[in-house]
Amino acid sequence: MVSVKTLLSLAALLLLSVVPMVTEVVRSMSECAEFLLKETPPRIPGVLEGGNIRDQRRYKPICQTFNNTRRFVTLYDTDNKIPVFSAYKFTGSIGRRPDTLWKIEPQLEDETANRNMRDVDNTRVYNHQAGKSDYNDKSRGLDKGHIFPSSHAYDTSDKTSTFTLTNIVPQAETFNKKSWSRMESCVKCVLEKYCIDENNNPEGFVVTGATPSAGNLLNDRVNIPSVLWSAFCCYSTKTTRWLASAHWGDNVPDEGDHKYLQTKTLAELYKELNLKVFPVTQCPLHTTPAEFYLETNAENTECDCPPTASTTSAPHTSTSVFKICLITIIIIIIL
């Protein structure tokens, strides 16, 4: 005869087996740190500071999970119903853009739901995230613009995982398909060719996000961001140094067919948008890899890097120090 103690133990094991898997809508960015350079999240004033989320009711870190595998991380704004940013580790890219259904994060609606993203219900209006129906209005000329682009994901499964509406913002159609797409292609080529680790494999870290507008909404629910931005950083064994650059652009239709987003430094990104994307790292603040663009374009016409771009920006702090020293020397000479 089975003892009461044994039956209770079996019952406990059975209960544990049906408890939902550990939630992937987590409380801290540190729980998805493998997608962040040096496991350090960006600094976004009022949102994410020192690794701490300022308003945990509103901003939700999502360890984006597809087929029981974590693919990238998103900090999601449940009020504006767009991502603050998505971060990912670039390890190369094979295959083409998949033909797949759009998905949502079930745990934003029910924290006990399965951790895997699931196909969107086209008829449902979600409380804490955008749904497919929110993007049905085509009259405003807006695309479902990827934050983590499928072209930067490694294989078919990774690419499929980027098609979640928690990784999407309303983006001006021509901006998405032209200058922003050119930037994504150029950065991908630089990552593939120069961001090579010690094992001769591609490795780079990318963070891409959106600056919300002041009340410009799609379907009276989804914020149409005013600016989109992106930055990458890697250590290049090929050049034996760290490489980094940043891009951003107003979320408006492109003027003309041949616009390029200017390649900027991390220091310029911080000055313009107050974003420290890679804090406490060795990422160069005042240089870009634009010196490699001509060679990159020559080797692959699909790279689409700008034909001319600056490789440096003036380091404001050191310039100020230089001016002070120069003035001091002049005063000493005069006296």
Side-chain angles (χ1 to χ4, degrees), residues 23 25 60 139 152 189 205 248 268 334:
T23 178
V25 176
K60 303 293 184 180
S139 64
H152 285 201
C189 286
F205 290 85
W248 64 86
E268 289 172 312
I334 292 172

Side-chain angles (χ1 to χ4, degrees), residues 140 213-218 222-225 251:
R140 301 191 64 176
S213 64
N216 185 15
L217 303 179
L218 176 64
V222 182
N223 190 282
I224 302 172
N251 188 20

Side-chain angles (χ1 to χ4, degrees), residues 20-21 66 85 109 163 168 196 249 271 333:
M21 302 176 76
F66 178 66
F85 64 80
E109 306 304 314
F163 286 82
I168 297 298
I196 305 300
K271 181 181 178 183
I333 292 172

Side-chain angles (χ1 to χ4, degrees), residues 75-105:
L75 183 61
Y76 193 75
D77 182 344
T78 59
D79 285 2
N80 282 323
K81 297 179 175 58
I82 58 172
V84 178
F85 64 80
S86 287
Y88 55 98
K89 183 178 179 180
F90 181 87
T91 57
S93 179
I94 58 175
R96 298 182 177 181
R97 178 186 175 105
D99 184 12
T100 185
L101 297 174
W102 287 99
K103 297 170 176 56
I104 54 93
E105 174 51 60

Side-chain angles (χ1 to χ4, degrees), residues 54-69:
R54 306 297 294 175
D55 184 349
Q56 294 202 353
R57 175 204 64 80
R58 175 175 179 174
Y59 300 108
K60 303 293 184 180
I62 306 172
C63 299
Q64 299 279 14
T65 305
F66 178 66
N67 285 346
N68 292 316
T69 300

